[in-house]
Amino acid sequence: MINIKKAQLYKTVFKPEELSETPYKEVAFVGRSNVGKSSLLNSIVKNYKLAKVSSSPGKTRSVNFYFVNDKFFIVDLPGYGFAKISKTEQERWRSLIEGYLKNRDKLKGVFLLVDSKVGPTDKDRMMKDWLVYYGIPFAVVATKIDKLKKQSEKATVEKRIREGLDLPKQFPIIKFSAKTNEGRVEVLKQIERFLE
Ligand SMILES: Nc1nc2c(ncn2[C@@H]2O[C@H](COP(=O)(O)OP(=O)(O)OP(=O)(O)O)[C@@H](O)[C@H]2O)c(=O)[nH]1
Ligand SMILES: [Mg+2]
């Protein structure tokens, strides 16, 4: 399993036209605003508090490239579906996210994050359809799993997400918590698979 020994912010991009190709392979995190993308990033790189996390959605407004182990990039994207920003700003984010995901030869895999408590939304479904359409390999992560206290909720979360996103029966869903680090190893293993 990969061991993250080194990670640093490589570049921050606010405009789609500045999304030039990087020299190494990339994996990216996508999902609703506030779903826990930046927290997941911080969890897997452990000793580095890299990405800004906030209780208010819409924290990450740029595409942030983190250079890991001098070998590959982890890309933290702004979240979608955050209603409390202007239409213009939403449009800017959309073009930034799509501009990144489209025609990205170096992108080897995407983690689609879904909030365990909220469940999959229409926008998550759209994102999944989009990834399928563009042929981008992806994995699904159920975030904030620590918030599900009842065993029954925990037992059905995978099914709920699979059905909501119209995924095949055996499609793996990584249950993750940035609070307890549950699922951290599975995420690292998946990164390794994407980079193979
Ligand atoms: N309980 C719990 N809270 C979490 C977890 N992961 C993230 N959070 C909280 O959820 C909020 C949003 O987390 P972020 O990591 O900033 O979410 P994001 O997806 O990067 O959000 P944007 O940058 O707005 O797209 C913060 O208050 C985090 O502390 C988790 O695993 N468990
Ligand atoms: Mg963020």
Side-chain angles (χ1 to χ4, degrees), residues 48-153:
Y48 300 83
K49 272 272 168 277
L50 280 179
K52 289 199 186 82
V53 168
S54 166
S55 52
S56 53
K59 188 69 196 172
T60 310
R61 288 168 180 249
S62 49
V63 179
N64 299 308
F65 292 79
Y66 296 93
F67 193 34
V68 181
N69 291 356
D70 295 325
K71 261 202 178 126
F72 68 96
F73 290 97
I74 293 180
V75 183
D76 189 20
L77 291 161
Y80 47 79
F82 176 43
K84 285 194 195 117
I85 53 164
S86 69
K87 270 263 142 40
T88 340
E89 184 76 345
Q90 278 190 45
E91 198 40 56
R92 196 185 71 78
W93 285 13
R94 217 175 82 104
S95 64
L96 197 54
I97 298 166
E98 291 194 358
Y100 171 75
L101 293 169
K102 241 192 265 176
N103 311 317
R104 192 101 193 151
D105 287 346
K106 290 282 188 320
L107 180 61
K108 300 303 172 193
V110 165
F111 288 92
L112 172 57
L113 278 62
V114 177
D115 193 309
S116 298
K117 199 102 196 175
V118 178
T121 64
D122 288 351
K123 287 205 166 116
D124 294 325
R125 171 68 182 268
M126 267 172 61
M127 180 53 79
K128 178 248 159 180
D129 288 345
W130 214 80
L131 292 168
V132 170
Y133 179 79
Y134 280 98
I136 303 169
F138 67 97
V140 174
V141 177
T143 64
K144 310 189 187 182
I145 200 77
D146 58 280
K147 283 193 172 178
L148 301 187
K149 303 288 183 219
K150 288 191 213 123
Q151 207 47 48
S152 57
E153 281 182 312

Side-chain angles (χ1 to χ4, degrees), residues 36-58:
K37 297 175 294 298
S38 299
S39 300
L40 171 56
L41 174 66
N42 283 332
S43 161
I44 60 166
V45 303
K46 248 177 185 166
N47 301 316
Y48 300 83
K49 272 272 168 277
L50 280 179
K52 289 199 186 82
V53 168
S54 166
S55 52
S56 53

